[in-house]
Every structure is written in structure tokens, then in C-alpha cells.
Amino acid sequence: MSAHFERVALIGLGLIGGSIALAARRAGAAGRIVGYARSEQTRAAARRLGLCDEVAESAAEAVAGADLVILCVPVGAMRAVAAEIGPALAEGVVVSDVGSVKGAVIAALEVLPAHVHVVPAHPLAGTEHSGPESGFAELFDNRYCLVTPLPGGDSGAKGRLADFWRALGANVEEMAPERHDLVLAVTSHAPHLIAYTMVGVADDMRRVTKSEVIKYSAAGFRDFTRIAASDPTMWRDVFLNNKAATLEILGRFTEELFALQRAIRTGDGDQLHDYFTRTRAIRRGII
Ligand code: NAD
């Protein structure tokens, strides 16, 4: 198979950057993979794990001569990284990202020079683990990668990025950035916040001990809160950068929660039963 890009630069070598490197190598989708991460520790781990063909000592060095650059850093770091690499980017290079929020990241990427092709994207694949050791080549297999193209963006660049993600195993779809941020607020952002909150509630209880929570967690707590082990920096940035959609969903969530709380208090078994019957049917439709 011929490589989709000759030199792919990955800025950020955590779960997603590391997995892209491994999946691209598996697929033969990149002639050469060059990585960079801010911390010396991560760069050393990436070298030890053999994630990339080369680990650069600066972001500018990594992107020099690249025909595809993917920013795999937390959403809040996108603007600074884009500003740092801007002067080193070749004419016509495709610059993409994997950020979990699209509207704010697209605004951040406006600092990039006009001679590059910006094609934002978000692979809907992840785990609660982070860092270079957590990456694996199969992460994107049969998962969606949502591309959120800019109006008037280069269609050739978009097509090449989509082909790259398909080679990595993903199903590629296009979506408008605002729609992406609202859909993901429902399917990912609000659930993470609620899981974090449930762990906080358990931690704050006086009459239930931590050791009881850990010992008996299989009763629901463990499944429900798995995602609360996710990276705090990543999730802080998601909420600060997808405020409107997350707050809208949380408003709806608290309304429903209060309605159920009232049904419990008033002993309205029919309301609880009807609600659980409806929501169970929806949940069973999700594989
Ligand atoms: P991670 O914590 O595993 O890795 C982040 C990497 O970015 C690390 O290598 C870190 O050293 C580096 N980094 C942080 N700040 C930097 C900076 N200013 N300059 C250069 N490098 C910097 O996180 P991750 O899970 O790989 O997430 C990366 C991106 O992918 C985020 O934007 C996140 O929203 C998105 N994403 C995450 C998931 C998920 O489930 N984890 C899924 C899809 C998309």
C-alpha cells in the first residue's frame, strides 16, 4: 500500500498521538512518522516504546518538511502549539487536530498561516487511560472519526485526511462544528462530568467509607464511573471550551433528575417505571 502522506508530524504523544503513530505504521499510511511532546519524560517514553520513526526536540523541528501535521494536545493547548509551529509549516501542508471540542479549536487554529490547509477532526475513540504507554494500534478500528471542515476549505486536503483516517481503521463522517459540540455534549461531555460528580459524592459521604465503596463497587459504581479515571487536564479543557452546549445538556439533566427525585419522594412508582422502561429501550438499542 502506498503511504497517504510522506512525513506525518504528531504534536502530543499521549493516548491519541501514540495510537495514531502505531495505527499509521500498521497501515503503512505514513512514509515517516515524527513526534513531539512538551515533556522530556514523554519524549523519552515515546523513544523507548518506539512509537515514531523519530522524536523531535521541538514542535517546529517536528513539523519541518511534514505534509501532514496532527495536533494531539489538550484542547486548551491548541492555540499556543499552532502559533509555535506556524512559521515552520511548509506551503500546502494539511494541518489537523483530534480535539474533543471543535468550535473553540477551530477558532484557536486561526493563528495558523494562510498557506496551510486546516482540516479539523475528532476520532470518537479513547479510553480512560492517558500518556504514551496507553496508545495502541487498534484504537480507531471501526470507530467514527468526525471531520468538521472549514467553509471554503480545500476539498483535496479534506479527502486526503479522510483517506488517512480510513487507513487507520476509522469510519469517517463529516459534521458541522456546532452540531459536533452539541452531540458530543450529550454523548461524552455531560456523562464524564456526571461520572466525576458521582465519585466526588462517594468521596464526600461520611456514613459510607472509601473501602466500602471500593469493595462493593461492582454493584454499579464501577461501570458507571470508569470514565471518571480520565485525564483531568483534558477534561478541564473540554468543559472550558464547550461551555454553552455542556451547560444546556446539564440544565436538561438536572430537570430530569429533579423530576425523578420528586417521583421517589412522592412514591410515584408509575412515573419511575415508565421512565426506566423508555430509557431501557433506548439503551438496549446501543451496542
Ligand atoms: P494525553 O494526556 O494522553 O496526551 C496529551 C499529550 O499532549 C501528552 O503527550 C502531553 O505531553 C502533550 N502536551 C500537553 N500539552 C502540550 C503542549 N502545550 N505542547 C506540546 N505537547 C503537549 O491526552 P489524549 O487522550 O491523547 O488527548 C489528546 C487530545 O485528544 C485532546 O485534545 C483530547 O481532547 C483529544 N481526544 C481524547 C480522547 C480520549 O478519550 N482520551 C478521545 C478523542 C480525542
Side-chain angles (χ1 to χ4, degrees), residues 12-22 42 51 72 98 125-137 139-140 230-231 234:
L13 293 171
L15 169 69
I16 302 296
S19 297
I20 293 175
L22 294 170
T42 304
L51 290 182
C72 309
V98 293
T127 70
E128 68 277 27
H129 304 295
S130 55
E133 291 84 3
S134 56
F136 57 101
L139 180 64
F140 310 111
S230 303
D231 185 67
M234 170 187 158

Side-chain angles (χ1 to χ4, degrees), residues 11-17 36-39 42 72-75 77-78 81 98-100 122-123 125-127 130-131 231 234 238:
I11 309 299
L13 293 171
L15 169 69
I16 302 296
Y36 170 74
R38 185 185 46 169
S39 94
T42 304
C72 309
V73 298
V75 166
M78 294 283 182
V81 171
V98 293
S100 304
H122 177 204
T127 70
S130 55
D231 185 67
M234 170 187 158
V238 166

Side-chain angles (χ1 to χ4, degrees), residues 139-212:
L139 180 64
F140 310 111
D141 285 351
N142 298 314
R143 308 300 297 268
Y144 285 109
C145 179
L146 298 179
V147 174
T148 60
L150 306 185
D154 185 85
S155 61
K158 184 179 73 180
R160 292 181 71 206
L161 184 81
D163 286 344
F164 177 82
W165 274 107
R166 284 191 197 97
L168 269 53
N171 302 317
V172 178
E173 287 197 358
E174 263 186 51
M175 199 180 262
E178 316 75 56
R179 179 135 208 97
H180 168 280
D181 288 353
L182 184 61
V183 170
L184 268 290
V186 177
T187 59
S188 173
H189 305 169
H192 275 82
L193 195 79
I194 295 160
Y196 278 121
T197 311
M198 196 58 231
V199 177
V201 168
D203 182 50
D204 199 38
M205 293 286 291
R206 293 287 174 271
R207 291 162 52 224
V208 176
T209 65
K210 274 200 188 70
S211 58
E212 280 175 312

Side-chain angles (χ1 to χ4, degrees), residues 61-282:
E61 184 192 326
V63 304
D67 50 353
L68 172 63
V69 175
I70 307 182
L71 308 186
C72 309
V73 298
V75 166
M78 294 283 182
R79 184 181 296 272
V81 171
E84 192 183 339
I85 62 171
L89 293 170
E91 173 115 29
V93 54
V94 178
V95 180
S96 189
D97 75 291
V98 293
S100 304
V101 176
K102 296 280 46 105
V105 169
I106 288 169
L109 298 185
E110 280 169 13
V111 300
L112 287 166
H115 65 255
V116 308
H117 299 306
V118 179
V119 188
H122 177 204
L124 305 191
T127 70
E128 68 277 27
H129 304 295
S130 55
E133 291 84 3
S134 56
F136 57 101
E138 299 77 24
L139 180 64
F140 310 111
D141 285 351
N142 298 314
R143 308 300 297 268
Y144 285 109
C145 179
L146 298 179
V147 174
T148 60
L150 306 185
D154 185 85
S155 61
K158 184 179 73 180
R160 292 181 71 206
L161 184 81
D163 286 344
F164 177 82
W165 274 107
R166 284 191 197 97
L168 269 53
N171 302 317
V172 178
E173 287 197 358
E174 263 186 51
M175 199 180 262
E178 316 75 56
R179 179 135 208 97
H180 168 280
D181 288 353
L182 184 61
V183 170
L184 268 290
V186 177
T187 59
S188 173
H189 305 169
H192 275 82
L193 195 79
I194 295 160
Y196 278 121
T197 311
M198 196 58 231
V199 177
V201 168
D203 182 50
D204 199 38
M205 293 286 291
R206 293 287 174 271
R207 291 162 52 224
V208 176
T209 65
K210 274 200 188 70
S211 58
E212 280 175 312
V213 172
I214 293 166
K215 189 170 168 190
Y216 303 119
S217 66
F221 192 85
R222 184 189 296 170
D223 287 348
F224 178 67
T225 60
R226 179 184 57 77
I227 54 177
S230 303
D231 185 67
T233 304
M234 170 187 158
W235 283 99
R236 175 201 65 194
D237 287 1
V238 166
F239 294 117
L240 294 181
N241 288 281
N242 195 18
K243 271 189 197 170
T246 315
L247 292 176
E248 181 183 336
I249 304 305
L250 285 175
R252 301 291 298 271
F253 174 79
T254 46
E255 272 179 28
E256 303 264 318
L257 194 66
F258 281 138
L260 293 176
Q261 187 177 344
R262 185 168 197 283
I264 294 169
R265 184 169 55 76
T266 59
D268 190 341
D270 287 347
Q271 188 186 344
L272 293 173
H273 194 267
D274 289 352
Y275 195 92
F276 299 152
T277 303
R278 182 167 62 85
T279 51
R280 179 178 72 168
I282 296 165

